[in-house]
């Protein structure tokens, strides 16, 4: 009788151990799937936001070059405004998903972009483009850090004065 009880306890312990191991493995797999899903969403948001910033900057530049009061200028200004609305929505998504450092970098990009957009609307002198480029480079660095993407500089990137973007 004792032999049967020991065998039964062994079977129960084995089944319980197997169940716990399978549950822990499934939880780990689920966490990894969720982390991958959020990283993919973050990457997509980072890319969409950067693309939208570039679109606004490019469209604003074209609007500044167009003749005052022309249909071409009005079209560029309308496109700039539309892209600015998309950027605003993308920034809100970025705030929800991104690291605090990446969010702050994007906020600094927003401030520089707003100055350029306002100057374009008013046909005023536009702030230096280099500022926006530098802020976008910082944004890219913070996004890569948040995503865990390592980037080693190429030998030609070491040169002083080389413009990244």
């Amino acid at each position: 009788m004792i032999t049967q009880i020991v065998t039964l306890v062994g079977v129960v312990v084995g089944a319980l151990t197997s169940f716990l191991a399978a549950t822990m493995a499934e939880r780990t797999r689920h966490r990894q799937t969720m982390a991958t899903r959020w990283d993919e969403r973050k990457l997509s948001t980072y890319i969409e936001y950067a693309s939208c910033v570039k679109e606004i900057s490019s469209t604003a530049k074209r609007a500044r070059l167009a003749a005052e009061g022309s249909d071409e200028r009005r079209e560029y200004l309308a496109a700039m405004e539309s892209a600015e609305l998309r950027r605003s929505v993308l920034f809100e998504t970025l705030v929800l998903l991104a690291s605090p450092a990446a969010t702050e970098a994007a906020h600094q990009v927003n401030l520089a972009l707003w100055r350029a957009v306002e100057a374009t609307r008013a046909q005023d002198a536009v702030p230096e483009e280099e500022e926006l480029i530098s802020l976008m480079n910082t944004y890219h660095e913070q996004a890569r850090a948040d995503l865990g993407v390592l980037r080693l500089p190429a030998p030609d990137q070491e040169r002083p004065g080389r413009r990244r973007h």
Side-chain angles (χ1 to χ4, degrees):
M1 174 98 169
I2 291 185
T3 310
Q4 291 173 341
I5 291 175
V6 170
T7 304
L8 186 59
V9 168
V11 168
V12 169
V13 168
L16 193 57
T17 304
S18 177
F19 173 76
L20 291 175
T23 300
M24 289 175 59
E26 186 59 35
R27 281 185 184 174
T28 301
R29 202 173 10 257
H30 177 70
R31 276 190 226 116
Q32 288 173 341
T33 300
M34 292 305 290
T36 300
R37 180 182 299 165
W38 285 115
D39 281 348
E40 288 171 358
R41 181 70 177 129
K42 271 191 213 182
L43 175 61
S44 175
T45 300
Y46 282 137
I47 291 169
E48 287 178 51
Y49 175 81
S51 297
C52 196
V53 167
K54 286 184 174 190
E55 179 183 346
I56 293 167
S57 178
S58 174
T59 307
K61 201 180 300 182
R62 288 186 185 116
R64 287 190 301 273
L65 294 174
E68 180 66 36
S70 69
D71 287 341
E72 183 182 33
R73 177 169 165 73
R74 280 191 288 279
E75 287 174 19
Y76 285 133
L77 288 173
M80 181 184 75
E81 298 299 336
S82 174
E84 173 58 21
L85 289 174
R86 279 196 332 275
R87 186 220 43 82
S88 179
V89 171
L90 288 168
F91 181 73
E92 294 304 320
T93 305
L94 196 132
V95 168
L96 291 171
L97 297 175
S99 71
T103 301
E104 180 56 29
H107 178 68
Q108 294 304 315
V109 167
N110 288 345
L111 294 175
L113 192 61
W114 290 334
R115 286 191 294 274
V117 165
E118 284 302 316
T120 299
R121 287 177 186 139
Q123 280 292 80
D124 289 340
V126 178
E128 288 293 320
E129 185 179 1
E130 293 299 320
E131 177 191 16
L132 184 59
I133 290 170
S134 175
L135 291 170
M136 283 298 289
N137 287 336
T138 301
Y139 166 76
H140 291 140
E141 289 167 12
Q142 293 303 325
R144 280 192 302 273
D146 186 26
L147 294 168
V149 177
L150 298 177
R151 181 175 175 194
L152 300 174
D156 67 329
Q157 287 182 324
E158 301 285 328
R159 292 191 320 248
R162 183 171 181 337
R163 188 171 143 172
R164 294 184 331 184
H165 194 260

